[in-house]
Each structure stands twice: as C-alpha cells, then as structure tokens.
Amino acid sequence: MTMAPPVRGPAPRGWHYPRVVAHRGGGILAPENTLAGMDAAVFHGHVAVEFDVMLAGDDVPVLMHDDVLGRTVAGSGRIADLPSDELTMKDAGSWLAPRFALARVPRYVEAVAWLRQKGVWMNVEIKPSPGVEVATGEIVGRMTQAMFAGVDDVASKPLISSFSVDALLAARRTAPDIPRAFLLSQVSADWQTQLEAVDAIALHCNHRHLTPDLAAQVKAAGYGLFCYTVNEPDRARELLQWGVDAFCTDRIDLIGPGFI
C-alpha cells in the first residue's frame, strides 16, 4: 500500500488524523482526563485521544473538564481558585472505581509527554473557566507551540479545538503552527463564516444535530468533519457514510481504532 506523504507547512483544510478518537482518554472504562484513562485507550489499541485543558489558579494548564470540583475530582471549589500543585494531588479516579484511587489530575505538559512517548495523537480541547478564555487560549497555545517546535508534519501535531472563539483566536496568536478546529453543538447557518474567523481546518459538532445535507456542505467546502460523542457502531457507520471523517467515542472497547 502506498502511504500518503507527510503534510508539511501550514495546515490545509481537511482531516489529517485518525478516524477513531478516545473521548477524554478512557471513555467509560477509566477516569476521564487522567493518565489512567490514556493508558486504557492505549491498552485497547487506540492511537488518538481527546482531552480537555483548563488553567489552574496559578495559570498552569491541567487536564480538566468541569470548572468546579466534585464530579470527577474530590473536593469543592473552583479550578480557577486552586493552584496546580494542590490540584495534581487530588483523587481523580475513585468516583469511577476504587481501583483508580491513585489517579491524579495531570498537568498538560505531563500528559503531552506521556502521549508522545506512546506515539498517540491528541485533540486538545481548550476548556476555559468562565472569564479566562483569552488567557487559557494564549497559555495553552504558547506551550503547545513550544512542545511541538520542529515538528513539520501536520498529522504529527495536535489539533486544538474549542467552543470558545476568544480562546481559539488567542491560540492562533501564540500557536500559529498548530491547527485549530471549531466546536459547535448545533451547526448554525453561518458555520463557514465562524470557521473562517478562527482559521479552522475542521468543524467538530454533536452528531445528534448533524444531517446528511450539513455533512455534505462541510465536506464540499473542504473542511474536516468530526463528531462527538459516538458510542453505537451502527451510528458510527451511518456518519461515516455521510462523509464524516472521524469521531470520538466513550466505548473504546467496542469501537476500536480500525473501525469501518
């Protein structure tokens, strides 16, 4: 089989990455946004993961979805009020099962280093706490740019995504070499204008709100099309038939990296 040559230089529109992405690392099998979750994805053969990044109170990016403690990380309070040294000592796994009691909140740099060592591609969702969208985009972008300096192949770089326009614009300023995707739950009529505004190469959307016609429009315009969060094989096949390039899944055991 002839392999496609690496895509170098500024990222063109389209999808240059794996088809199946493990949602928040471990999906439903391991604590989300932890190295234990990433390890579960690797154990099941996955070569691509998605995870959320938020700023701790000392402006250090950590892997976190919620802007308050209590659901997946023990304790109470806002992430934006707690220093990273304190956050990274908290139990981030017992909520799922006792065997994950040692899982902790990882710093962004720690997760990137671990995943690169394993050869795993990453979709980095910037998930800013309210009011710090610009700062989160700037800091995560700057760090990502530095960590992947010298990497020319687009497929070997992470993809930064966010629902926040401000965060994506900030990331574009500090990480001009790192591709971006715009997240929408429902694809609005002006979706292409929104993607152009942040210079995105792909649209990420909730699969429940996608239609065959919208999928065809996005693909005809040359953009990559990614859906979240697809947990049923039959639905995944239907979306792929519509032209969807890739999707993330919680069922990392049921939908493997070679899914067709």
Side-chain angles (χ1 to χ4, degrees):
M1 184 173 83
T2 302
M3 300 296 292
V7 179
R8 304 186 186 280
R13 293 177 182 176
W15 191 257
H16 314 288
Y17 316 107
R19 170 177 289 177
V20 182
V21 181
H23 186 224
R24 300 181 194 170
I28 63 171
L29 301 187
E32 66 180 54
N33 287 317
T34 66
L35 295 186
M38 308 301 171
D39 191 56
V42 170
F43 176 81
H44 284 86
H46 288 272
V47 295
V49 299
E50 178 268 355
F51 55 83
D52 306 288
V53 179
M54 184 177 294
L55 293 185
D58 52 2
D59 288 342
V60 173
V62 295
L63 269 59
M64 186 71 63
H65 180 274
D66 299 359
D67 62 351
V68 295
L69 297 173
R71 182 178 66 88
T72 64
V73 179
S76 61
R78 299 193 318 146
I79 304 303
D81 294 335
L82 299 170
S84 57
D85 285 348
E86 181 177 342
L87 277 171
T88 56
M89 294 299 293
K90 289 186 176 294
D91 176 358
S94 291
W95 66 273
L96 185 61
R99 69 180 184 276
F100 293 121
L102 295 179
R104 295 293 180 262
V105 176
R107 292 179 174 86
Y108 177 44
V109 292
E110 178 186 8
V112 170
W114 193 94
L115 290 165
R116 294 185 78 180
Q117 192 272 329
K118 298 290 185 180
V120 177
W121 177 81
M122 59 202 84
N123 173 189
V124 180
E125 181 179 343
I126 298 177
K127 200 81 172 180
S129 295
V132 291
E133 291 82 3
V134 173
T136 308
E138 287 179 345
I139 293 169
V140 173
R142 184 178 301 112
M143 293 177 67
T144 308
Q145 179 83 6
M147 288 188 287
F148 287 86
V151 176
D152 294 325
D153 180 16
V154 171
S156 299
K157 297 178 182 181
L159 179 65
I160 288 177
S161 64
S162 186
F163 287 98
S164 169
V165 172
D166 290 339
L168 285 175
L169 290 174
R172 183 177 66 174
R173 290 192 296 272
T174 58
D177 297 332
I178 305 298
R180 290 165 300 283
F182 189 42
L183 268 160
L184 289 167
S185 179
Q186 296 194 19
V187 183
S188 55
D190 64 343
W191 65 266
Q192 187 165 357
T193 299
Q194 295 183 68
L195 266 66
E196 290 173 349
V198 296
D199 194 21
I201 68 167
L203 172 65
H204 292 195
C205 68
N206 189 328
H207 76 95
R208 293 182 176 87
H209 304 310
L210 189 66
T211 65
D213 181 61
L214 278 172
Q217 291 178 39
V218 175
K219 295 310 300 173
Y223 289 96
L225 181 56
F226 176 93
C227 286
Y228 69 89
T229 302
V230 184
N231 295 328
E232 298 175 353
D234 287 346
R235 176 58 171 167
R237 292 187 185 94
E238 180 179 42
L239 292 168
L240 294 175
Q241 289 172 358
W242 290 358
V244 170
D245 294 294
F247 56 87
C248 64
T249 184
D250 286 321
R251 293 305 310 266
I252 62 174
D253 55 336
L254 185 62
I255 302 176
F259 180 84
I260 56 174

